[in-house]
Amino acid sequence: MKTTVSAEVVVLLAGLLFALGIVGVIIRKNIIFMLLSVEIMLNASGLAFVAAGSRWGQPDGQVMFVFILAMAAAEVSIGLALILQIYHQHKSLDIDNLKEMNG
Amino acid sequence: MMLVLLITVLMVGAVAAVVAGEWNRYLPRWIALLASAAGLLLVTLLWANTSPHSVTDGQWLMDFRKEWIPSFGITFHLAVDGLSLLLLALTFFLGVLAVLCSWDEIRERTGFYYFNLLWILAGVAGVFMAMDMFLFYFFWEVMLIPMYFLIGIWGSENRVYAAYKFFIFTQASGLLMFLAILGLYFIHGRDTGIYTFGYFELIETVIPFKTAFWLMSGFMIAFAVKLPVFPFHTWLPDAHGEAPTAGSLILAGLLLKTGAYGMLRFVVPMFPEVVTDVAVPAMVLGVAGIVYGAVMAYSQTDLKRLVAFTSVSHMGFVITGIFALNELALQGVVMQLVTHALSTGALFLMAGMIKERLHTRDIGQMGGLWGPMPQMGTIGLVFAMASLGLPGLGNFVAEFLILLGVFQAQPWITVAAASGLIFSAVYSLRIVGKIFLGPRRTMEAVPDFSFREMLIMAALTVSVVWLGLFPQPVINTARPAITELIRFMDVHSAASHHQSYVK
Amino acid sequence: MDKYLWLIPALPLGGFLILALAGKQLSRSSVAIVGAGSICLSALVTFVVGGAFLAGMPANAVYTQTLWTWFEVGAFSAKITLSLDVLSLLFIFVITFIGALIHIYSTAFMEADRDYARFFASMNLFVFSMLVLVLADNLLLMYLGWEGVGLCSYLLIGFWYEQQANGNAARKAFTVTRIGDAAMAIGLFMVFQQAGTLVMSDIGANASTIWQPNSTVVTVTALLLLAGGLGKSAQLPLQTWLPDAMAGPSPVSALIHAATMVTAGVYLVARMHAIFALSETARLVIAVIGAATLLLAGLTALTQYDIKRVLAYSTISQIGYMFLALGVGAWTAAIFHFMVHAFFKALLFLAAGTIIESLHHEHNMFKMGGLKDKMPVVFWTFLAGALSLAAVPLISAGFYSKDQILWYSWTANGGSPVLWMVALSGALITAAYTTRMMILTFWGEAHTPVGHLPGRRITMPLIVLAVFSIFAGFVELPHNFGHFTLFSDLLHPVLPETVMRAEIPSEWLFQLLAALATLGGVFLGYHYYYQQPARLESLRRNAMLASLHRFWFLGWGFDALYDRLLVKPFIFISKINKSDVTDRLYTGIAAATGEMYKLLSRTQSGSLRWYIMGLVVGAILILGIQIML
């Protein structure tokens, strides 16, 4: 028997994941973990798009998810490159050390 | 065409100067002299060609109009009447003197300096000729930025503060004026369906009193800061004090007059009802300026700041005269604009010359300079006497006409303003006494006038004495504009009164 | 002949221009010739034009010459027009004639001075301005001359500018007279508003139709015009500048501060008598001021030890007599006294100058003495002037003019016994201080040795002036001496007859009393300074008298009063506001902006986590508001 998951539940899951992602970004001090949390937020929003696409029967949801995937990949590669550079300069991955652009 | 030529000659000369400055340090000043002298020649030709007609043919002497941005209703419209002709002549005359007095004083970046100088003059000339509100605002801003550079780069010790202060005061008030212009634009457009910035169209706009008050305030704030009117004057001492000599000359001689011109050309004809309503408070502010400026002038120890405060005092006479709204006072105002530019300009030039010799502006370190510099002493005395309104010099005619006119309107305000006569004697004699009389305080060698300086001061002295004894040509040139202004005011005040009755 | 009217002021103006522009290049003698010559020529032209005027009296007793239109706006028109009538003729005669004598004197007196050309340039400019003042046909041109003489007075008082005190005295003179001038300007505005013109003859002719007699308007107008006169003529309350003006060279004191500029006020009131005639209050004020001034100044003159200051206060006092005469309506008497006073006061100042020079700049009379034999010419001429000043009966010109004023101060319609008493006491005091001055200077032992004696260029003017000081009075004899009233007849076209009271006491009695007052004063001076100087010592030791003496010496405290009331507060306010209190508003705005900047820049902490927090909280808030609204 095919069990269809209702869109509302999936969106709920997406929302929860998003919230988890936000909390992770805010709370975490390690840059890599912040990046991971951002990834979780991105994937959560992608999930929400897929769920909506399935709900309305449109392929647009899947299309948007592919967009998000591509964008996330690009962003992660640049982000990791930046993190490497930061580690090289500050010898630590603590985000509280990066306070120079203040005042 | 000649009108556009007046402005372009200056602008082209400016660009040529800054380009030439890259190769040769001395070339820009010659180019600047050439450009401003050419402009002076053009204006003289203009005056000579138009003066026989000025009395009979109506107000406007020359006109130039071209569409600029039709979709917004902006035209490139220049026009000259007696009032603007006088001020244009003053502009170019002082322009030549400004170039001459910066001859030796400016040594670094001379190309850029003369560029700024000529652009200021172009802006001033444009302000006096613009008949489109957008164009007027454009030239208003053109005057501003080169002046900021002039003060900020070639000024004295506190120049950056003074330049900033000047800029912010003038810019902020200018922006309020722009809002008022836009307001006028939209009201006119809404009422007549034609959206235009043209002066001749906008002065016909009928504006309800409340809105008119705010619009007038927008204009007035810009002109009040420029003139300057009493509480808005504090930028003046700093700007005048720290600017280079030519900067002070142009500031006192021309920029201040643009404020008065704006009031006469825009505020009074566009908002006649409101103007009549606020006339008395405005005159009171004028008297406050007269007294305040004079009292302040007395205690200053920096010569240029002292002369700057005397400017505040003299301009108090101007605004009191404008708001008396009768022919005597308005003619006096026109005379005051011309003669004050000459006499205060001369005092600033003298201060600059003394600074070049003694390297200080502190009058406490001056004294007894009549001995080594009798020529400067005599000329200084002449202009101090002009400042206090000695009959036989131009400023007397101006102040007398203003006071006589104000007396017809408000006798008690005249009594208060006449105290300015006493105070002006106090500060003028202080200037002469502290600089030229008494024992010598420094024993530096102080040469008297060089040939170039003598030329400049002689030109100014002759002008001020000539205007004192033969002021009638100036009065005649301005007469059509003044009578037209009064007639316009009477017609429109009466018309609006009718309207309010009908409502 | 009226075509040559312009030459009279033009010649001194020409002299000024030549000396101002080229003075440094010319030799001493050239400067002297130009400087003194221009005035002499002007005097010559005055004689010729004046003679022609008197001989063939023109239509309305006036010569006019319009030079050009000064300026004209709307209903207002001012022309440069010179007009000569008998009154101005008298004044220009005094100005050019005495002026010429003083200039000749100065060519020798100022010989050693470095700034010879500047002196004569300023003196010529002064004579020009004064001539314009009295020849002007309208009030505005007169105002030009009025201010012009003020300027020249400033230049000449502060002539030796290296001493700070001289510059201060010059500044004081200019400022105090400016106060009067500002009031006069307002008076001019009122006149124009009422009369529609500033031409003096038109105003005079139509005065009774323009103004209501004794209305507030005409009284205020008259008082404002008077204020200008009070300033220039150094009368109460604007008299404080004249004693300090003695810092200038003696010829300056003689010309400006004795004979001419200080009489400008008298000229003004006489010229505008039509306005003053319409206001009883104004006339009363003039008379009272005149009387008060003559008394105050006389008493002060009695205490001074600087010979020039005695003469200065004496001038203030004598002009007080002129104002008193004007106030009671004795117009011609005032002008008569002006003319006589010009002669003897100029003489006294010139002689005093010579004495001071010969005694190596000694001004203190108590250090002079014994000059009677050492400087005989100066002595005899000074005596002539002193006799006139003291109004010694019958033999001096001063007697005839002062006696007339004394007579009218009671018997004229505006006169009163009180005024007469004051004037009489003034005469006694005048005689007293004059005698004191003579005795201290010329008799007794010589405290200071005499240097070089004056040459001919100095003594000749003194002698001429001395002759006039004695004989000039004979042009107008009192009524009980015979009806020789040449002077008042001459002035008849211009000045009205003095209106007398109904009951007039005997003129002989008055003359006797006047003579007694003079002789009494002379005796007092003689007694205390020559006969028994010891009695003076005992008076000095009296504490009350000493403090009174001190009070009078300080000019009745006016200087101190003005200093405390006007000068110090002005300087105080000016100084505490030096950095401009209104600027605080704008620097306040700038400071507030700075504070806000500091506050807001704290949000730029640089910490990424705070930024994220901000984003999230902001997003939640906006979404929340969206959902709610």
Side-chain angles (χ1 to χ4, degrees):
Chain A
M1 195 162 107
K2 234 207 242 170
T3 42
T4 36
V5 186
S6 67
E8 292 86 4
V9 174
V10 180
V11 170
L12 186 63
L13 174 62
L16 277 174
L17 278 174
F18 194 80
L20 276 176
I22 289 185
V23 167
V25 169
I26 293 178
I27 290 182
R28 286 301 202 163
K29 289 189 12 168
N30 192 314
I31 301 180
I32 295 186
F33 278 112
M34 287 175 79
L35 196 59
L36 273 175
S37 308
V38 170
E39 279 306 302
I40 295 177
M41 284 163 69
L42 281 170
N43 279 298
S45 55
L47 183 60
F49 268 112
V50 167
S54 118
R55 165 77 182 76
W56 299 110
Q58 301 273 358
D60 296 336
Q62 307 276 347
V63 170
M64 278 312 297
F65 181 70
V66 173
F67 267 119
I68 291 174
L69 224 52
M71 189 221 79
E75 172 232 328
V76 159
S77 51
I78 297 183
L80 282 173
L82 284 172
I83 291 173
L84 270 176
Q85 195 51 262
I86 289 171
Y87 184 69
H88 188 60
Q89 293 232 342
H90 294 262
K91 299 290 181 262
S92 127
L93 286 176
D94 187 348
I95 197 157
D96 286 332
N97 290 341
L98 304 173
K99 275 203 190 161
E100 283 164 37
M101 286 178 69
N102 63 358
Chain B
M1 200 53 217
M2 210 186 236
L3 300 181
V4 185
L5 206 57
L6 284 172
I7 302 181
T8 37
V9 147
L10 290 172
M11 288 188 169
V12 164
V15 173
V18 77
V19 166
E22 294 301 310
W23 302 313
N24 185 335
R25 246 185 24 178
Y26 302 108
L27 205 51
R29 63 190 188 188
W30 285 102
I31 296 177
L33 183 61
L34 206 65
S36 46
L40 184 60
L41 195 66
L42 283 173
V43 169
T44 326
L45 282 173
L46 186 60
W47 199 345
N49 277 338
T50 57
S51 47
H53 312 309
S54 60
V55 183
T56 46
D57 277 0
Q59 186 185 359
W60 299 99
L61 301 171
M62 201 179 268
D63 197 286
F64 173 87
R65 193 200 163 107
K66 244 188 158 52
E67 290 294 322
W68 188 7
I69 310 176
S71 48
F72 286 124
I74 301 174
T75 52
F76 191 89
H77 189 186
L78 302 174
V80 161
D81 71 349
L83 175 64
S84 21
L85 185 58
L86 283 171
L87 292 172
L88 274 176
L90 189 68
T91 309
F92 286 96
F93 182 62
L94 287 182
V96 171
L97 293 180
V99 172
L100 281 176
C101 81
S102 333
W103 207 253
D104 287 329
E105 194 185 337
I106 306 296
R107 294 168 200 284
E108 311 97 36
R109 301 165 72 176
T110 53
F112 189 46
Y113 176 84
Y114 287 103
F115 172 81
N116 284 324
L117 192 67
L118 290 175
W119 268 76
I120 299 173
L121 291 175
V124 172
V127 160
F128 288 142
M129 291 194 282
M131 287 296 134
D132 177 289
M133 298 312 295
F134 188 85
L135 190 63
F136 174 77
Y137 185 71
F138 172 77
F139 281 119
W140 189 265
E141 294 298 307
V142 166
M143 284 193 309
L144 178 57
I145 311 226
M147 194 74 212
Y148 164 76
F149 281 126
L150 212 65
I151 301 176
I153 302 178
W154 293 277
S156 314
E157 302 79 36
N158 211 12
R159 60 185 178 271
V160 178
Y161 171 77
Y164 267 128
K165 201 165 176 181
F166 163 75
F167 183 84
I168 292 178
F169 264 82
T170 323
Q171 179 76 298
S173 56
L175 282 173
L176 287 171
M177 177 172 82
F178 193 57
L179 284 177
I181 293 176
L182 287 175
L184 198 56
Y185 173 76
F186 282 117
I187 290 180
H188 182 87
R190 199 190 53 201
D191 284 347
T192 62
I194 308 170
Y195 283 87
T196 171
F197 278 99
Y199 171 70
F200 293 103
E201 291 82 13
L202 288 177
I203 51 173
E204 301 292 338
T205 322
V206 174
I207 316 168
F209 191 86
K210 268 262 159 38
T211 338
F213 178 76
W214 289 109
L215 289 180
M216 192 206 80
S217 310
F219 276 95
M220 270 303 282
I221 191 84
F223 302 135
V225 166
K226 220 34 187 252
L227 191 67
V229 176
F230 166 54
F232 308 110
H233 64 278
T234 57
W235 63 273
L236 189 80
D238 290 305
H240 273 127
E242 305 299 325
T245 313
S248 304
L249 175 64
I250 299 221
L251 204 46
L254 299 174
L255 261 59
L256 267 49
K257 314 304 180 264
T258 57
Y261 172 82
M263 286 187 203
L264 286 172
R265 180 70 78 218
F266 299 110
V267 172
V268 174
M270 281 184 181
F271 312 104
E273 268 199 329
V274 189
V275 160
T276 345
D277 227 49
V278 302
V280 174
M283 284 201 268
V284 170
L285 270 184
V287 171
I290 296 175
V291 175
Y292 193 79
V295 174
M296 288 300 295
Y298 186 79
S299 64
Q300 300 302 315
T301 49
D302 177 335
L303 181 57
K304 279 185 145 180
R305 276 181 79 96
L306 201 161
V307 182
F309 274 109
T310 71
S311 271
V312 174
S313 188
H314 286 130
M315 290 294 114
F317 275 100
V318 166
I319 191 170
T320 313
I322 292 179
F323 280 90
L325 302 170
N326 59 47
E327 185 177 6
L328 283 169
L330 287 171
Q331 282 285 16
V333 163
V334 174
M335 269 312 278
Q336 176 83 321
L337 293 181
V338 176
T339 55
H340 170 264
L342 297 172
S343 64
T344 308
L347 284 173
F348 274 115
L349 285 173
M350 213 179 61
M353 291 174 195
I354 294 179
K355 171 134 193 261
E356 271 180 56
R357 289 157 170 78
L358 293 178
H359 307 290
T360 176
R361 298 196 310 260
D362 182 2
I363 53 177
Q365 291 185 32
M366 303 178 196
L369 291 180
W370 193 297
M373 299 194 287
Q375 286 178 334
M376 188 184 288
T378 317
I379 303 279
L381 182 73
V382 169
F383 285 107
M385 290 298 123
S387 195
L388 63 83
L390 189 78
L393 300 172
N395 302 57
F396 168 71
V397 178
E399 280 178 11
F400 183 78
L401 282 173
I402 291 179
L403 287 174
L404 194 61
V406 176
F407 192 80
Q408 316 291 325
Q410 297 282 339
W412 285 107
I413 292 188
T414 317
V415 172
S419 65
L421 292 175
I422 305 173
F423 289 127
S424 62
V426 173
Y427 65 65
S428 296
L429 292 181
R430 182 172 162 82
I431 294 177
V432 173
K434 276 283 183 178
I435 301 177
F436 296 112
L437 309 179
R440 291 275 313 260
R441 281 178 218 278
T442 62
M443 293 320 276
E444 283 180 47
V446 276
D448 208 346
F449 283 151
S450 67
F451 176 72
R452 173 186 56 93
E453 288 169 339
M454 192 67 215
L455 195 66
I456 301 174
M457 298 313 271
L460 286 167
T461 314
V462 167
S463 318
V464 115
V465 172
W466 185 266
L467 284 175
L469 297 175
F470 306 102
Q472 201 59 35
V474 169
I475 294 177
N476 288 341
T477 311
R479 190 185 300 132
I482 302 289
T483 39
E484 184 58 34
L485 185 64
I486 295 179
R487 193 197 62 83
F488 191 90
M489 267 215 56
D490 287 337
V491 163
H492 283 252
S493 302
S496 344
H497 274 136
H498 272 254
Q499 276 218 337
S500 55
Y501 275 126
V502 166
K503 285 197 200 107
Chain C
M1 267 304 159
D2 53 355
K3 288 197 304 295
Y4 300 112
L5 212 51
W6 66 279
L7 273 178
I8 302 178
L11 284 164
L13 180 66
F16 159 71
L17 285 171
I18 296 175
L19 292 172
L21 294 171
K24 288 250 159 173
Q25 279 85 352
L26 295 172
S27 70
R28 290 254 146 164
S29 42
S30 308
V31 171
I33 291 174
V34 171
S38 60
I39 311 296
C40 294
L41 279 176
S42 189
L44 204 64
V45 177
T46 307
F47 279 125
V48 171
V49 173
F53 180 79
L54 290 172
M57 187 67 77
N60 43 0
V62 151
Y63 270 175
T64 46
Q65 184 178 32
T66 305
L67 295 173
W68 73 88
T69 304
W70 193 1
F71 58 100
E72 154 166 87
V73 177
F76 178 81
S77 173
K79 294 186 164 52
I80 307 278
T81 306
L82 301 175
S83 98
L84 181 75
D85 63 2
V86 196
L87 181 62
S88 38
L89 178 62
L90 205 72
F91 269 83
I92 61 174
F93 162 67
V94 166
I95 297 168
T96 53
F97 183 62
I98 299 186
L101 290 172
I102 294 178
H103 275 74
I104 295 173
Y105 171 99
S106 314
T107 57
F109 188 81
M110 301 295 291
E111 188 88 70
D113 200 287
R114 180 191 67 193
D115 291 316
Y116 204 57
R118 181 163 62 95
F119 179 79
F120 280 101
S122 310
M123 290 285 271
N124 276 11
L125 186 65
F126 170 80
V127 175
F128 163 74
S129 305
M130 192 71 208
L131 287 169
V132 167
L133 200 162
V134 300
L135 283 174
D137 105 309
N138 60 66
L139 283 167
L140 197 64
L141 186 60
M142 191 190 81
Y143 192 75
L144 187 150
W146 195 271
E147 294 285 303
V149 297
L151 167 67
C152 298
S153 172
Y154 170 78
L155 289 175
L156 287 164
I157 296 174
F159 182 71
W160 291 310
Y161 59 83
E162 270 131 358
Q163 267 77 262
Q164 189 66 46
N166 299 345
N168 292 347
R171 187 183 56 185
K172 183 174 175 181
F174 196 94
T175 313
V176 173
T177 50
R178 211 41 170 16
I179 298 176
D181 297 345
M184 190 170 104
I186 301 177
L188 251 64
F189 302 145
M190 284 194 75
V191 169
F192 177 70
Q193 200 187 43
Q194 301 294 315
T197 173
L198 287 180
V199 178
M200 296 194 275
S201 48
D202 291 344
I203 298 172
N206 301 329
S208 39
T209 48
I210 301 171
W211 286 285
Q212 292 272 21
N214 291 320
S215 61
T216 332
V217 175
V218 78
T219 306
V220 170
T221 310
L223 287 176
L224 285 171
L225 291 175
L226 176 70
L230 294 179
K232 274 290 184 290
S233 296
Q235 299 294 288
L236 245 57
L238 297 172
Q239 85 286 16
T240 51
W241 64 272
L242 191 55
D244 290 353
M246 297 298 113
S250 298
V252 170
S253 311
L255 183 61
I256 300 184
H257 304 128
T260 47
M261 183 178 103
V262 293
T263 53
V266 178
Y267 174 77
L268 175 66
V269 176
R271 177 60 80 200
M272 305 303 300
H273 65 265
I275 297 185
F276 289 98
L278 286 171
S279 166
E280 227 175 87
T281 322
R283 289 200 309 274
L284 185 65
V285 169
I286 300 177
V288 167
I289 288 181
T293 309
L294 73 89
L295 199 60
L296 259 62
L299 287 169
T300 310
L302 206 50
T303 62
Q304 298 295 322
Y305 55 78
D306 177 338
I307 191 173
K308 284 184 76 176
R309 281 182 87 97
V310 174
L311 292 173
Y313 279 105
S314 166
T315 306
I316 299 176
S317 180
Q318 295 302 306
I319 298 180
Y321 273 100
M322 296 178 218
F323 270 83
L324 173 60
L326 291 170
V328 301
W331 312 101
T332 44
I335 304 300
F336 187 35
H337 195 57
F338 147 73
M339 188 183 77
V340 173
H341 172 264
F343 286 119
F344 68 68
K345 203 36 86 52
L347 166 63
L348 288 171
F349 267 111
L350 292 182
T354 313
I355 295 172
I356 293 172
E357 272 302 293
S358 296
L359 295 182
H360 312 289
H361 300 285
E362 181 57 69
H363 286 242
N364 188 341
M365 293 188 297
F366 286 94
K367 299 218 178 80
M368 298 181 187
L371 295 177
K372 182 164 70 86
D373 308 304
K374 301 257 169 60
M375 303 179 73
V377 180
V378 177
F379 169 66
W380 286 107
T381 49
F382 197 99
L383 183 65
L387 288 176
S388 227
L389 173 57
V392 167
L394 298 175
I395 55 169
S396 67
F399 168 71
Y400 294 101
S401 58
K402 194 179 288 183
D403 172 67
Q404 238 195 11
I405 297 181
L406 284 171
W407 167 240
Y408 284 126
S409 63
W410 183 313
T411 59
N413 210 12
S416 85
V418 177
L419 292 172
W420 175 80
M421 290 273 286
V422 172
L424 195 69
S425 341
L428 190 147
I429 297 170
T430 308
Y433 68 68
T434 311
T435 316
R436 169 182 182 258
M437 182 170 60
M438 288 263 359
I439 292 175
L440 284 174
T441 312
F442 293 103
W443 271 274
E445 55 166 292
H447 296 275
T448 314
V450 175
H452 64 273
L453 287 177
R456 256 220 306 255
R457 272 181 289 165
I458 292 193
T459 52
M460 282 314 296
L462 289 178
I463 295 173
V464 173
L465 287 171
V467 167
F468 272 89
S469 300
I470 302 293
F471 292 103
F474 296 130
V475 295
E476 177 90 359
L477 296 178
H479 306 219
N480 48 358
F481 277 34
H483 274 278
F484 189 64
T485 53
L486 183 65
F487 193 81
S488 42
D489 289 341
L490 199 68
L491 282 171
H492 189 65
V494 180
L495 295 174
E497 289 279 330
T498 312
V499 179
M500 305 289 276
R501 286 176 163 221
E503 285 192 15
I504 311 175
S506 153
E507 194 166 356
W508 287 106
L509 181 64
F510 274 76
Q511 285 173 338
L512 196 62
L513 287 170
L516 277 177
T518 301
L519 294 170
V522 171
F523 178 72
L524 272 176
Y526 172 71
H527 182 75
Y528 279 104
Y529 286 91
Y530 191 77
Q531 265 189 346
Q532 302 202 16
R535 296 196 66 181
L536 208 57
E537 269 307 309
S538 61
L539 282 181
R540 251 182 227 140
R541 265 177 255 128
N542 181 324
M544 207 183 70
L545 280 180
S547 58
L548 194 64
H549 182 276
R550 180 129 195 97
F551 180 62
W552 288 346
F553 179 76
L554 293 172
W556 294 70
F558 272 93
D559 270 316
L561 180 70
Y562 291 151
D563 196 50
R564 188 164 306 171
L565 213 58
L566 298 170
V567 178
K568 289 216 160 59
F570 176 79
I571 296 182
F572 177 70
I573 294 176
S574 189
K575 284 212 157 67
I576 53 170
N577 200 28
K578 183 172 169 189
S579 49
D580 201 350
V581 76
T582 49
D583 203 23
R584 298 260 185 92
L585 177 64
Y586 305 103
T587 46
I589 296 178
T593 317
E595 282 307 304
M596 258 196 9
Y597 156 75
K598 284 204 198 91
L599 199 66
L600 288 174
S601 70
R602 295 228 219 108
T603 57
Q604 296 289 319
S605 58
S607 163
L608 194 58
R609 299 207 295 154
W610 278 101
Y611 294 167
I612 297 170
M613 191 67 195
L615 277 172
V616 169
V617 169
I620 293 176
L621 274 173
I622 291 175
L623 280 172
I625 291 173
Q626 280 280 19
I627 293 173
M628 279 202 293
L629 294 173

